Amino acid sequence: QVELVESGGASVQAGGALRLSCKASRYGSCMAWFRQTIGKEREGVAAVKIDGITTTAPSVRDRFIVSQVEKILYLQMNNLKPEDTSIYYCAAADWCSGSLLSASTYTYWGQGTQVTVSS
């Protein structure tokens, strides 16, 4: 079992920045950030494997940076836009054989943290 606790969500104006954090109770082979708004599927945002390889969704690649320091996963979000408004979830897996940005790859999920971007 991996417990994940997200923090850092807030309400900001467009153009602002936030850093999300996810503290894990132990290491997973890969960890990722997803986001989901009501009525939409959960979307993979960025992920990192235990060997340090990262991947970021093309839609946010020029603005979001994922990193991991020990058992804490971070998501630096810059130049935020209203369409970034969502609940952001942290996820982890013991085995990462699928796509790093696919929700089906992950077993463990946090409770989510709300990010609201106003125009």
Side-chain angles (χ1 to χ4, degrees):
Q1 185 72 17
V2 179
E3 294 183 358
L4 302 168
V5 180
E6 303 101 333
S7 62
S11 296
V12 298
Q13 290 192 330
L18 284 175
R19 188 177 78 161
L20 305 183
S21 301
C22 171
K23 187 173 182 179
S25 58
R26 64 170 176 83
Y27 287 104
S29 293
C30 57
M31 295 182 70
W33 288 102
F34 286 78
R35 64 186 182 184
Q36 188 171 24
T37 55
I38 296 174
K40 294 186 177 181
E41 291 188 1
R42 193 162 292 192
E43 174 191 11
V45 176
V48 58
K49 293 182 68 174
I50 199 168
D51 58 6
I53 294 176
T54 63
T55 186
T56 306
S59 60
V60 299
R61 189 168 293 160
D62 59 339
R63 300 184 294 119
F64 291 9
I65 302 170
V66 65
S67 61
Q68 183 173 357
V69 178
E70 297 186 343
K71 290 181 282 186
I72 301 177
L73 182 71
Y74 297 101
L75 184 67
Q76 178 66 42
M77 305 187 293
N78 301 316
N79 190 23
L80 283 161
K81 302 177 180 181
E83 52 262 42
D84 296 318
T85 294
S86 191
I87 299 175
Y88 285 72
Y89 297 91
C90 178
D94 292 321
W95 302 100
C96 305
S97 57
S99 167
L100 291 181
L101 296 183
S102 173
S104 62
T105 296
Y106 299 90
T107 306
Y108 310 107
W109 293 86
Q111 293 300 308
T113 186
Q114 176 71 47
V115 171
T116 302
V117 185
S118 59
S119 57

